Amino acid sequence: MNQPVLDLRDVSRVHGSGSTAVHALRSVGVQVYAGELVAVMGPSGSGKSTLLTLAGGLDRPSSGSVLVEGTALESLDQGHRARMRRTAIGYVFQDFNLIPALTAAENVALPRELDGERSRAARRAALAALTEVGIGELADRFPDELSGGQQQRVAIARAVVGERRLILADEPTGALDTETGEDILGLLRARCDAGAAGVLVTHEARYAAWADRVVFLRDGRIVDETRADRPDSLLETGKTR
Amino acid sequence: MAVEHRSGLHNLGPTRTGRDGGGAGSDDDGHVIYSVTEPGRGEVAAWFSTPVQRTQPPRDELAIKLALAVTVPGVDVDAVIQAQRSATMAALQDYTRLKRAAQAKQEEPAGMAWSLVLDSFVFAAEAEIRWLDHSEARLRRAARERQPSSAPAPASVDPKVRAR
């Protein structure tokens, strides 16, 4: 099989030391390949958001290694890591994290402009990304003129603009109703089907079910992982799972 | 001779074709064709307008298994819960794939009916996983409360450094 887009190798993260040390992650190994959406589930305190933070290079592991497209993030200096985050990794957050003073298109174009791209080209790419997520006609609206679902679509456009290959989503449906949440999962799923690698952190089983694999975390450890069979014969009479 | 069923359906023999306004009695291949009688229409209407009764809950093997697991010594309850959660999640993934595949046919009544049935499976599987999560949390809390008070309480951890 090809090289994984995201490869967490024996990753641990400890906050503090001595008697107050908190082991957020313990020797976790996860590989996510192009075209794959992996869901991470677990209760509060299980380490799922820590995993996402490390995968995105926003934090460093206490031990182990995090590789994105073969590059160990911990081997990069701060500047190169920031560039990697802008060009290779897209984030989608529960609370959207859009800049209120910028329009939808400007929010999406910002990472590309920060990377030195000319404004006109960055806007063109932003409009294409917004069109891909179904809200091209809302490009010039400000976040407070958009519904929650539309804001999350803008956030997804920002995460995928520039053909980034790794999408990290932290409870992206948390602020949305069920139907809008399913639309958002449909967009993430489509992006992964088109070749991106996705990691979805969620505590809601109905959204995790959109993933190819579901990883269960408890107390910082992976306790189980599920991969569904093809559903063709699922409902045959007498079939048991 | 026509046989009347409890549902109010008539099996129309060939001799009754055209009588009672019930349509043809059989097709060219000899398949029997049923027609709804007037009393049957009334029963169907009553059936649709009456809520499904929730009398005695059906036997729930999972609830029984978990209830036994927490009372029988030596059973790893966490493992029982996780094994079921993984199995139910795998089923939920399958239902979700089937639902996505069915979305293209939702404009047809049969396609919409199938999609709603799949929704029912999704909600049932989701509810089961939520119940397992809830049971696990309750068991963990109970275990913590049984521990001696000298053990460090989670509340003493700085919330800024606690894993989410």
Side-chain angles (χ1 to χ4, degrees), chain A residues 15 22 24 41 45 47 182 189 193 205-206 209-212 216 218-219 224 226 228-230 234-235 241, chain B residues 82 85-86 89-100 114 123 126 129 136 140 157 161 163-164:
Chain A
H15 299 288
V22 175
M41 289 194 79
E182 297 221 336
R189 179 73 259 180
D193 289 343
R206 70 162 40 237
W210 285 73
D212 299 291
F216 295 96
R218 288 289 179 284
D219 302 324
D224 206 358
T226 183
D229 297 316
R230 301 309 305 173
L234 176 70
L235 299 176
R241 295 192 60 88
Chain B
Q82 185 55 50
R85 183 162 36 217
S86 293
M89 175 53 77
L92 187 51
Q93 285 176 275
D94 289 343
Y95 298 144
T96 303
R97 286 198 182 96
L98 288 168
K99 222 178 101 170
R100 286 168 55 203
W114 174 229
F123 276 98
E126 186 184 26
I129 290 172
E136 183 181 66
R140 285 186 162 220
V157 174
V161 298
R164 283 174 59 194

Side-chain angles (χ1 to χ4, degrees), chain A residues 29-232:
Chain A
V30 177
Q31 287 77 43
V32 187
Y33 292 86
E36 195 179 31
L37 178 61
V38 174
V40 181
M41 289 194 79
S44 297
S46 61
K48 54 189 191 298
S49 289
T50 300
L51 185 152
L52 209 64
T53 305
L54 293 170
L58 297 168
D59 189 14
R60 288 171 187 254
S62 304
S63 63
S65 188
V66 178
L67 293 91
V68 175
E69 302 208 84
T71 301
L73 296 183
E74 63 274 9
S75 70
L76 301 175
D77 62 33
Q78 201 171 337
H80 281 93
R81 214 148 31 106
R83 181 175 165 75
M84 172 75 100
R85 284 200 299 266
R86 286 198 305 273
T87 56
I89 306 171
Y91 300 87
V92 183
F93 303 94
Q94 177 174 339
D95 49 6
F96 321 134
N97 282 10
L98 300 177
I99 298 173
L102 301 181
T103 64
E106 288 165 349
N107 265 285
V108 176
L110 186 61
R112 301 205 65 161
E113 289 191 55
L114 289 173
D115 224 31
E117 189 166 323
R118 287 174 177 273
S119 293
R120 190 172 293 178
R123 180 175 170 82
R124 224 176 11 248
L127 290 176
L130 286 167
T131 302
E132 186 184 329
V133 299
I135 52 166
E137 75 282 7
L138 304 178
D140 294 321
R141 292 207 191 165
F142 290 93
D144 65 0
E145 297 170 331
L146 300 169
S147 70
Q150 289 166 341
Q151 288 185 59
Q152 196 58 297
R153 283 172 188 260
V154 175
I156 289 177
R158 184 184 54 188
V160 301
V161 72
E163 302 302 320
R164 280 177 267 185
R165 295 237 300 157
L166 177 59
I167 312 296
L168 305 174
D170 192 356
E171 302 278 7
T173 57
L176 306 174
D177 62 63
T178 305
E179 203 169 343
T180 310
E182 297 221 336
D183 290 344
I184 294 302
L185 256 298
L187 288 174
L188 286 175
R189 179 73 259 180
R191 191 65 191 185
C192 291
D193 289 343
V199 180
L200 163 71
V201 161
T202 182
H203 67 277
E204 295 195 62
R206 70 162 40 237
Y207 299 128
W210 285 73
D212 299 291
R213 283 190 288 142
V214 181
V215 172
F216 295 96
L217 276 179
R218 288 289 179 284
D219 302 324
R221 296 182 200 278
I222 293 177
V223 294
D224 206 358
E225 187 174 318
T226 183
R227 180 194 295 275
D229 297 316
R230 301 309 305 173
D232 305 339

